[in-house]
Amino acid sequence: MGLKIVRNYINEEWVDSSSSSLLDVMDPASGEVLARVPLSTRSEVDDAVQAAQEAFWEWRTTPPLTRARYFFRLKEVLEENFEELSRITTREAGKTLDESRGELRRAIEMVEVACGIPTMMMGQNLEDIASGIDCVATRQPLGVFAAITPYNFPTMVPFWFWPFAVACGNTYIVKPSEQDPLTQQFIFELLDEEIGFPPGVINLVNGGQESVEALLEHPQVKGISFVGSSKVARIVYQKCGETGKRVQSLGGAKNFLVVMPDANLDATVGAIILSAFGCAGQRCLAGSTIITVGDIYEPFKHRLLEAARKMTVGHGLDEKVQMGPVISAVHKQRVLNYIEQGVAEGAKLLLDGRGIIVEGGEKGFFIGPTIFDQVNPDMVIAQEEIFGPVLGLTPVDSLDEAISIIQKNNYGNATCIFTSSGKSAREFTYRAECSMMGINIGIAAPMAFFPFGGTKDSFFGDIKGHGSEIVDFFTDRKVIISRWL
Ligand code: NAD
């Protein structure tokens, strides 16, 4: 039998792309080709937009309570398929089963919160804004929206947006990463077979740059939610400005974790290992540089090294494995180049993950936990996003110095402090310019009922992902002033 070719889902039908450009979808732990994904054409994107546009009016006039019921059912279906979905994600993205389960749990939480749309969408009113005149502000859906998402959370990231958009009465197109499209393929099979949204309400288009450009330029697309690297996030933001679309564009990250002298060493080391090496460092919330303050540096370094050396690296389907591979051979090379660069810049390589041998994973894209010491904030490895299991250590003398390093970095996605002092924690959260903050937490994770996104080069736009504010992104606030004579 030939390899499965991933399909598009448009207007409640599975359609084969006519594109002759196909990419391999690989298991990054074994190098095995799992399927092939088409890079859909402009006209296929247009088919999806037309279907979504045609579906809009009827869906928009469906009562919010009825719309919400689709999501109550979706939650059940995702729970019923929890293990199978997690395994698909592990196969195509390389993360451990627990990491796949974790991202699916977050996705389900988005669905749970979207079930509350009848309340979340409520407007405001005031009687007698002038004598006998009343005013109502109501929220109305706008039309077709789309999400363009990255490879590192193939389950969760589309769910940051579409359940809210569709529950608000919009129609939708998901364009997943071409590197791992199989999770969304399975989710759309579930939507098709078990949920039955009306035709055109939710569509799937697989592809790369051409599909993205077609969405960004399409006059009937009202808004775009993008998540990916800062380079592309900036392009998406600029393009949506030109074409007059709503946009929220989440970019890359360089996250600093500050360890104060009064931190609880055991808890801190455990949290930092998970933050830096979880998902093989391919999280936009991954700790990338540790700034130790004062004399905790030596004992912390010792404990960190000890814990990192003990990590089990391998195929994520093996429950004992703590860290999987990076996504592709190309990405592995990119991370290796950064390690070379760190060595060339004079950082001290304490733990070198380059030569790791994983039994049975000789064709996989593995890099072991890697730790640099004496990382100077001016070095490239301290400034750029590496997006792999590479951690730098920068010792400083004061919290002021730590905050100033964070301030000088171009990214502003996340940062964390480990301390037992409320005063230090307050000072840090007050001054450091990053949007997601952890206090004695290594990963300030996306919570469905709060907003999510960064600042500086990590985010372009104003309304962030999920949380109650996302209703503002997906609706127009119409103000109606009335006088009845
Ligand atoms: P990427 O920018 O390469 O790709 C993201 C999406 O953009 C994909 O769907 C891809 O098909 C599309 N794309 C790629 N190049 C394009 C181009 N030139 N023009 C138009 N579209 C293009 O990102 P990635 O490698 O898939 O994901 C990793 C990046 O995503 C990291 O930088 C990571 O920090 C970031 N990320 C950020 C967040 C966040 O919340 N801020 C969350 C997850 C990942």
Side-chain angles (χ1 to χ4, degrees):
M1 230 173 63
L3 268 177
K4 172 181 170 162
I5 297 182
V6 174
R7 289 180 298 168
N8 293 334
Y9 184 75
I10 297 173
N11 212 19
E12 212 193 12
E13 298 209 343
W14 286 105
V15 279
D16 292 320
S17 168
S18 62
S19 172
S20 54
S21 302
L22 293 159
L23 301 180
D24 289 341
V25 181
M26 298 180 99
D27 175 342
S30 67
E32 181 194 342
V33 179
L34 302 172
R36 307 203 79 207
V37 59
L39 301 183
S40 300
T41 62
R42 254 172 205 274
S43 97
E44 286 159 343
V45 170
D46 184 54
D47 291 345
V49 177
Q50 296 306 336
Q53 183 63 42
E54 272 167 39
F56 173 59
W57 194 254
E58 206 176 317
W59 184 244
R60 180 243 180 284
T61 53
T62 302
L65 209 61
T66 309
R67 295 197 300 253
R69 287 190 189 118
Y70 287 84
F71 291 94
F72 281 102
R73 174 78 188 123
L74 178 57
K75 175 198 161 43
E76 277 175 31
V77 169
L78 292 173
E79 298 284 6
E80 285 158 13
N81 291 275
F82 196 89
E83 278 306 303
E84 189 171 354
L85 256 168
S86 303
R87 293 180 84 80
I88 293 172
T89 304
T90 286
R91 284 291 322 265
E92 67 169 347
K95 52 182 71 183
T96 68
L97 267 176
D98 267 351
E99 288 163 351
S100 297
R101 290 176 184 131
E103 74 159 301
L104 178 52
R105 181 54 56 205
R106 292 278 107 81
I108 292 173
E109 287 166 6
M110 304 293 155
V111 174
E112 288 167 342
V113 172
C115 288
I117 214 70
T119 314
M120 287 168 82
M121 259 187 100
M122 279 181 183
Q124 294 170 305
N125 72 303
L126 186 67
E127 288 180 337
D128 293 319
I129 54 163
S131 188
I133 298 179
D134 302 331
C135 189
V136 169
T138 188
R139 292 178 200 267
Q140 297 191 338
L142 288 151
V144 183
F145 281 81
I148 299 154
T149 57
Y151 79 79
N152 64 326
F153 284 101
T155 317
M156 172 180 71
V157 173
F159 281 90
W160 285 353
F161 311 109
W162 82 260
F164 301 99
V166 168
C168 281
N170 302 287
T171 54
Y172 214 83
I173 300 165
V174 174
K175 204 300 284 171
S177 168
E178 63 277 38
Q179 299 198 74
D180 46 13
L182 300 179
T183 304
Q184 286 303 316
Q185 189 81 174
F186 185 57
I187 286 170
F188 271 77
E189 283 167 16
L190 297 176
L191 291 175
D192 182 50
E193 289 159 21
E194 309 270 354
I195 310 297
F197 280 104
V201 167
I202 175 80
N203 306 275
L204 174 74
V205 176
N206 289 286
Q209 187 170 343
E210 182 181 342
S211 317
V212 172
E213 285 170 358
L215 285 168
L216 300 181
E217 286 162 18
H218 203 296
Q220 283 173 313
V221 174
K222 295 286 189 206
I224 296 283
S225 300
F226 173 87
V227 183
S229 59
S230 290
K231 180 174 146 252
V232 184
R234 194 187 288 275
I235 296 171
V236 167
Y237 185 65
Q238 283 168 345
K239 194 79 200 174
C240 288
E242 280 166 27
T243 55
K245 297 189 195 319
R246 291 187 171 201
V247 59
Q248 40 184 194
S249 200
L250 286 72
K254 184 80 190 171
N255 306 316
F256 295 85
L257 311 185
V258 176
V259 181
M260 297 298 288
D262 55 8
N264 174 318
L265 213 48
D266 279 342
T268 301
V269 168
I272 286 178
I273 288 280
L274 283 179
S275 173
F277 301 125
C279 296
Q282 301 164 104
R283 279 196 191 111
C284 68
L285 296 173
S288 179
T289 300
I290 310 298
I291 309 177
T292 57
V293 176
D295 58 11
I296 199 162
Y297 162 66
E298 281 295 344
F300 172 78
K301 180 170 78 173
H302 176 73
R303 296 280 281 279
L304 180 75
L305 256 179
E306 197 179 29
R309 280 200 181 105
K310 282 191 197 142
M311 288 195 80
T312 317
V313 180
H315 200 302
L317 287 180
D318 177 348
E319 297 272 6
K320 294 190 294 298
V321 159
Q322 294 167 300
M323 190 177 98
V326 298
I327 189 74
S328 65
V330 172
H331 189 57
K332 178 174 173 177
Q333 191 52 52
R334 185 174 173 271
V335 176
L336 294 179
N337 292 347
Y338 273 114
I339 300 177
E340 294 284 323
Q341 176 131 22
V343 172
E345 284 178 312
K348 192 172 160 210
L349 196 51
L350 289 183
L351 184 62
D352 185 353
R354 286 177 293 184
I356 190 165
I357 294 170
V358 173
E359 209 181 310
E362 291 75 11
K363 292 192 181 146
F365 315 126
F366 291 99
I367 305 170
T370 298
I371 300 178
F372 276 111
D373 192 13
Q374 300 302 325
V375 174
N376 183 306
D378 296 330
M379 290 177 181
V380 171
I381 58 162
Q383 292 189 358
E384 295 185 7
E385 180 179 42
I386 300 175
F387 220 55
V390 181
L391 185 59
L393 266 179
T394 303
V396 299
D397 293 327
S398 67
L399 181 57
D400 260 1
E401 271 181 82
I403 293 174
S404 122
I405 292 172
I406 295 167
Q407 297 302 80
K408 282 185 194 141
N409 193 269
N410 290 335
Y411 293 104
N413 209 42
T415 188
C416 303
I417 188 168
F418 294 87
T419 182
S420 49
S421 154
K423 182 171 183 293
S424 300
R426 190 207 182 248
E427 177 83 3
F428 183 73
T429 51
Y430 193 82
R431 285 174 52 201
E433 204 184 337
C434 286
S435 301
M436 303 301 301
M437 293 220 152
I439 301 173
N440 299 316
I441 296 277
I443 307 160
M447 292 289 117
F449 27 88
F450 281 99
F452 182 77
T455 184
K456 300 198 269 185
D457 284 356
S458 296
F459 180 74
F460 305 93
D462 38 42
I463 298 177
K464 296 186 174 178
H466 46 82
S468 54
E469 289 150 49
I470 199 145
V471 173
D472 286 339
F473 186 72
F474 289 125
T475 56
D476 181 37
R477 304 200 70 196
K478 189 179 268 186
V479 174
I480 305 157
I481 301 177
S482 54
R483 171 166 55 192
W484 294 95
L485 300 175

